[in-house]
Amino acid sequence: MVKNENFIMQAKESKTLQELNLTDDFLFDVTTEELENCKAIIELTTGLRLKSLKWKSGQKVIHNLPGKRGVRLDFIAESEDGRIFDVEMQNRNEGNIPKRTRFYQALIDAPILKSGERGFDKMNPLYIIIICNYDPYGKKKYCYTFDNQCKEVPGLRLGDEVTKLLLSTKGENEEEVSKELVDFLHYVTESNENGLPDECDERLKRLHESIREIKASADMEVEYMKMEERERIIRDEGKQIGIINGKIESVLELLEDKGEVPEKVKAEIFAETDPEVLKKWLRLAAKSETIEEFCKEIDH
């Protein structure tokens, strides 16, 4: 029942392209295909000014070892002076952001040094920026900044040049952060004219203009509809599989109450994919006195 309710909720929550915000995967992905948009997002979230930016990689899965777990990164870019920026959008609070950033760092750092290379001077400064559509620590901050520091000597930094920024769209401390950051984080959740302040940074205005063009594009509308249809098919297939699996489990539970179910019978039940046949078997399993009676009936 819970699975079915989730599918219904997902269907109801479907949006048009014009209704999407940067918190939505599709809009964030297509927006960050433009390098200038990535540059604006990095500058607005970090407070840095970059002369130029180039792709390190974009929207790809990085694996640590063959056959091992990988991770899909939204985009990674590199500034003219070698600083690397990994920017991620996170909608659901799964409680694993700290260790996810640790994993991200390991995967990004590993390819920098070549086999047999001595020293570590070529390790680039790294910024991992997670834009959370929730408050990851419940402290009502727009920005949580982390770097490695010494416990015993206050202010003494490790110097590994890794900075992790966890940004929250739910912050309430406007007086402690820049207006540019606050305006951007508000715009992330309302990526339209209503979310754009009358007086805001020119970079946010240009980002908004790019998003406005995306939403007005007929080609992009078609692409989005295709994606929505693919996801709908996947949801429908998942729903059908859930119904079938539920009926199989119910049939077997009823039969196991009557004794040990032969492996051949189990295999036949597991192999059945027609919901109507499984519905019939479910009624049969309920009224049969023995497993033998059930088997005799389904063989007819």
Side-chain angles (χ1 to χ4, degrees):
M1 178 62 72
V2 173
K3 289 183 179 179
N4 292 345
E5 288 175 354
N6 286 340
F7 284 116
I8 293 170
M9 287 176 63
Q10 288 172 352
K12 288 181 179 178
E13 291 172 357
S14 181
K15 301 177 181 178
T16 65
L17 176 61
Q18 290 69 35
E19 292 172 329
L20 295 182
N21 298 310
L22 280 173
T23 52
D24 295 296
D25 287 344
F26 182 85
L27 186 60
F28 189 76
D29 283 350
V30 297
T31 299
T32 55
E33 287 176 1
E34 293 292 332
L35 200 55
E36 279 303 307
N37 290 338
C38 296
K39 183 172 178 287
I41 290 171
I42 290 170
E43 290 187 345
L44 290 169
T45 54
T46 63
L48 300 171
R49 286 282 185 170
L50 308 178
K51 290 183 179 179
S52 62
L53 198 68
K54 65 181 180 180
W55 291 119
K56 190 71 177 177
S57 62
Q59 295 110 16
K60 73 174 188 177
V61 175
I62 296 180
H63 296 277
N64 50 350
L65 292 171
K68 301 299 182 180
R69 180 174 176 176
V71 63
R72 179 189 182 280
L73 301 177
D74 286 336
F75 77 82
I76 309 177
E78 184 176 348
S79 64
E80 79 287 342
D81 58 359
R83 287 174 290 184
I84 296 175
F85 300 88
D86 170 33
V87 182
E88 308 293 329
M89 182 66 68
Q90 184 68 25
N91 276 302
R92 295 183 300 274
N93 186 0
E94 299 174 350
N96 59 8
I97 285 293
K99 290 190 176 180
R100 283 183 66 177
T101 60
R102 173 180 166 185
F103 189 54
Y104 292 166
Q105 179 184 340
L107 293 182
I108 295 168
D109 279 346
I112 293 177
L113 298 180
K114 306 302 180 185
S115 178
E117 190 170 355
R118 292 187 176 183
F120 299 92
D121 292 341
K122 292 185 179 180
M123 297 290 290
N124 306 59
L126 172 63
Y127 290 78
I128 297 177
I129 304 163
I130 313 292
I131 304 170
C132 303
N133 194 21
Y134 57 89
D135 189 338
Y137 293 101
K139 303 297 183 181
K140 300 181 181 180
K141 303 290 187 182
Y142 281 106
C143 181
Y144 300 90
T145 304
F146 297 90
D147 59 16
N148 290 318
Q149 298 191 37
C150 180
K151 287 184 177 181
E152 291 76 15
V153 184
L156 177 62
R157 288 179 166 79
L158 178 64
D160 58 353
E161 296 185 303
V162 176
T163 302
K164 298 173 182 177
L165 298 177
L166 273 59
L167 307 177
S168 169
T169 61
K170 310 299 182 184
E172 298 179 9
N173 63 323
E174 287 88 348
E175 69 285 353
E176 297 177 5
V177 295
S178 70
K179 182 179 184 300
E180 291 81 6
L181 176 61
V182 174
D183 287 348
F184 170 73
L185 290 174
H186 287 173
Y187 183 77
V188 161
T189 62
E190 192 173 10
S191 307
N192 51 47
E193 285 74 11
N194 295 330
L196 190 70
D198 293 333
E199 296 183 5
C200 66
D201 191 280
E202 288 297 320
R203 293 165 294 182
L204 184 56
K205 290 180 180 178
R206 290 195 295 269
L207 180 64
H208 170 68
E209 181 60 25
S210 177
I211 290 172
R212 191 192 65 78
E213 291 176 2
I214 289 169
K215 291 183 176 183
S217 167
D219 290 341
M220 200 60 68
E221 181 81 32
V222 171
E223 187 63 29
Y224 176 61
M225 290 175 66
K226 287 180 179 178
M227 186 211 71
E228 282 284 282
E229 179 63 14
R230 288 193 297 269
E231 291 191 351
R232 184 194 64 78
I233 291 171
I234 291 172
R235 288 197 300 267
D236 289 347
E237 289 177 348
K239 181 178 179 180
Q240 185 75 354
I241 291 171
I243 291 172
I244 290 170
N245 287 341
K247 290 184 182 298
I248 288 173
E249 290 177 6
S250 297
V251 171
L252 288 173
E253 284 177 2
L254 287 170
L255 292 178
E256 286 168 354
D257 287 341
K258 306 175 193 302
E260 185 175 349
V261 183
E263 291 300 322
K264 182 180 178 181
V265 176
K266 284 185 181 179
E268 185 175 356
I269 294 171
F270 276 121
E272 185 55 61
T273 59
D274 188 333
E276 291 303 315
V277 172
L278 288 167
K279 184 178 179 180
K280 177 182 175 183
W281 287 0
L282 184 57
R283 290 196 297 266
L284 184 60
K287 71 177 185 178
S288 296
E289 295 293 333
T290 64
I291 294 175
E292 289 74 17
E293 182 182 344
F294 172 83
C295 295
K296 183 179 179 180
E297 290 295 329
I298 66 172
D299 287 339
H300 284 171

